[in-house]
Amino acid sequence: MTDPTVVSAFHFKSESPVASKLEAFTRLSSDDRAAIAQASRNVRFVEPRRDLVSEGDRPRFVHLVLDGWACRYKTLPDGKRQIVSIFVPGDFCDINVYILKHMDHSIGAITRLKVAMITPEEMNGLTEGRPRVTQALWWHELVTTAIQREWTVNLGQRSAYERLGHLLVELYLRLKTVGRAADGRCDFPLTQNDLADATGLTAVHVNRTLQELRRDGLIELERKQLHILDLERLKDASMFNSNYLHLDREGRHLDAND
Amino acid sequence: MTDPTVVSAFHFKSESPVASKLEAFTRLSSDDRAAIAQASRNVRFVEPRRDLVSEGDRPRFVHLVLDGWACRYKTLPDGKRQIVSIFVPGDFCDINVYILKHMDHSIGAITRLKVAMITPEEMNGLTEGRPRVTQALWWHELVTTAIQREWTVNLGQRSAYERLGHLLVELYLRLKTVGRAADGRCDFPLTQNDLADATGLTAVHVNRTLQELRRDGLIELERKQLHILDLERLKDASMFNSNYLHLDREGRHLDAND
DNA sequence: CGTCTGGTTGATACGACTCAAATTTGGTGG
DNA sequence: CCACCAAATTTGAGTCGTATCAACCAGACG
């Protein structure tokens, strides 16, 4: 279906994904950008399917995803797993977590992951005297929890078909704001098992439902590449309203594509 | 089943519910308490089933629930409604919301509601020079989003029986930390319809499932009064792990009851 | 070339939904 | 205090979406 020779053409923006993300909310000065780079110079790599943070850990760093995908998940006593969030480049894991004594969930790498480890002191240094950055980080937190609420809606009210469609649209739009998606296409490293854990479905049912989405001409998904063929139709089919992403910055450049 | 003469004996604590809640995290000085009271003097009442905040509104105040119950909800184009959070006394609605342009959800009163309307300036005045309060508010936000994550798990992985059990335990424990519950008993103004919207079930199924919980001797629920007969068994039955409420303050007084 | 992970298919079972109606409860006014 | 009404709860019968279980297949990798 998709042309297999076209592989991952979306790393063209050399720009920092964090800066891109925060600029969805506000313009940053070059000093702001430099300060962000400065705070995130302590970098660590995590191999795919390994944990970055484990439930019960005492939080010591704020993590910032520089490259790759990760997920936040919780495991129940009976072994079931729920992915509660997905992190893409530019996402902070938990600004201010270090206030808590213990992590109540784990964070795992989906792909090979490049993350910045930021100490509380570095976070303070970053925000001190930079109200724009401080506000942008606040905005980031608010959007993160708005996404969490939308996931609650997704699981509570939408059918399997709508749930998957909604998740695909969300991830596509989030990747787009950090320059990792365009023209309906993006990398998509989640397995059907991951999708199942994120949507509260079984992998078997995810498989059949993805086939339906393909059959309806809404998506192509092959070899870890997602192609949304008709974003508007997919949005409608999944009752997607992007207001919860809060991308409506005043004076924001409106992209013609969508 | 329950003795109908025992009605709502849980308003015995005259203490401010906010202070109680924040003290689950840290000790407050009398100045801290006074400042909180000062910031929350602008009070408004909302009648049951009326909206306090509507989707699309520009946020202007931080709201603080002083008395009564409320819920955050989202409505889908097809008319379905998902309750994504429940607010009980002592809960802030959205610290820092005013950063966003528009609300992406509504907040509705379940009972008659007494809320404080706090301006951004008053919030600043409250936190300025009061690191303990600032930290406590941060903690409040972190716990609120941890609860949101747990709801995602609840909807994604738990059966109807577990979901309802989990929700009842959570609300009981939250009420207990603000002195509105004890001995397994608390006010419980949610209708079965509300429970359905919160758990992603239908009201009919909620009804049948509550009957199961009663039949198993786990709860009594009548006339807006909940009585959890055996908290430990109910926790087990619903795979409840309270770590996400982050009530593990160092040196915290341990209540013998549970 | 064998192994492994991820994806696909088929048959069957069950939890939760739907629709429809009856019953109980709580509030209101006469 | 009772009659009435609307809201909330309860019950029953039938259906459907998604889970379960069990194979099988394809490509990636060492």
Side-chain angles (χ1 to χ4, degrees), chain A residues 74 96 104 138 150 157 246, chain B residues 74 96 104 138 150 246:
Chain A
K74 301 189 80 161
N96 271 298
D104 58 34
W138 264 115
E150 191 64 35
Q157 301 299 332
H246 296 281
Chain B
K74 299 189 82 162
N96 270 299
D104 58 35
W138 263 114
E150 190 64 35
H246 295 282

Side-chain angles (χ1 to χ4, degrees), chain A residues 55 74 80-82 96 99 101-102 104 138 142 145-146 148 150 152 155 157 243 246 248 250, chain B residues 55 74 80-82 96 99 101-102 104 138 142 145 148 150 152 155 157 243 246 248 250:
Chain A
E55 184 169 339
K74 301 189 80 161
K80 286 182 191 160
R81 180 174 94 130
Q82 176 70 39
N96 271 298
I99 286 178
K101 302 268 183 318
H102 306 282
D104 58 34
W138 264 115
L142 292 169
T145 86
Q148 196 68 54
E150 191 64 35
T152 307
L155 291 171
Q157 301 299 332
N243 64 357
H246 296 281
D248 51 349
E250 266 147 37
Chain B
E55 185 170 339
K74 299 189 82 162
K80 285 182 192 162
R81 179 174 94 128
Q82 176 70 39
N96 270 299
I99 285 179
K101 302 267 181 323
H102 305 283
D104 58 35
W138 263 114
L142 291 169
T145 86
Q148 195 70 54
E150 190 64 35
T152 307
L155 292 171
Q157 301 300 334
N243 64 355
H246 295 282
D248 51 349
E250 268 148 36

Side-chain angles (χ1 to χ4, degrees), chain A residues 152-159 162, chain B residues 76 80-82 197 200:
Chain A
T152 307
V153 176
N154 213 21
L155 291 171
Q157 301 299 332
R158 285 190 257 257
S159 68
E162 295 160 346
Chain B
L76 296 182
K80 285 182 192 162
R81 179 174 94 128
Q82 176 70 39
D197 287 347

Side-chain angles (χ1 to χ4, degrees), chain A residues 25 55 58 72 74 76-78 80-85 94-105 134-135 138-139 141-143 145-146 148-153 155-159 162-163 196-201 239 241 243-246 248-250, chain B residues 25 55 58 72 74 76-78 80-85 94-105 134-135 138-139 141-143 145-146 148-153 155-159 162-163 196-201 239 241 243-246 248-250:
Chain A
F25 170 68
E55 184 169 339
R58 171 172 294 261
R72 210 198 294 265
K74 301 189 80 161
L76 295 182
D78 67 355
K80 286 182 191 160
R81 180 174 94 130
Q82 176 70 39
I83 293 180
V84 294
S85 339
D94 287 279
I95 296 167
N96 271 298
V97 242
Y98 44 82
I99 286 178
L100 300 178
K101 302 268 183 318
H102 306 282
M103 297 300 292
D104 58 34
H105 59 268
T134 309
Q135 279 240 325
W138 264 115
W139 169 82
E141 279 302 286
L142 292 169
V143 171
T145 86
Q148 196 68 54
R149 284 193 294 267
E150 191 64 35
W151 279 44
T152 307
V153 176
L155 291 171
Q157 301 299 332
R158 285 190 257 257
S159 68
E162 295 160 346
R163 258 183 246 184
D197 287 346
T199 54
L201 301 167
M239 297 191 290
N241 178 336
N243 64 357
Y244 74 101
L245 295 174
H246 296 281
D248 51 349
R249 191 185 76 200
E250 266 147 37
Chain B
F25 169 68
E55 185 170 339
R58 172 171 293 263
R72 211 197 292 265
K74 299 189 82 162
L76 296 182
D78 66 356
K80 285 182 192 162
R81 179 174 94 128
Q82 176 70 39
I83 293 180
V84 293
S85 338
D94 288 278
I95 296 166
N96 270 299
V97 242
Y98 44 81
I99 285 179
L100 300 177
K101 302 267 181 323
H102 305 283
M103 296 299 293
D104 58 35
H105 60 267
T134 309
Q135 278 242 324
W138 263 114
W139 169 82
E141 279 303 283
L142 291 169
V143 171
T145 86
Q148 195 70 54
R149 284 193 295 266
E150 190 64 35
W151 280 45
T152 307
V153 176
L155 292 171
Q157 301 300 334
R158 283 190 258 257
S159 68
E162 296 161 344
R163 257 183 245 184
D197 287 347
T199 54
L201 302 166
M239 297 191 289
N241 178 337
N243 64 355
Y244 74 100
L245 295 174
H246 295 282
D248 51 349
R249 192 184 77 202
E250 268 148 36

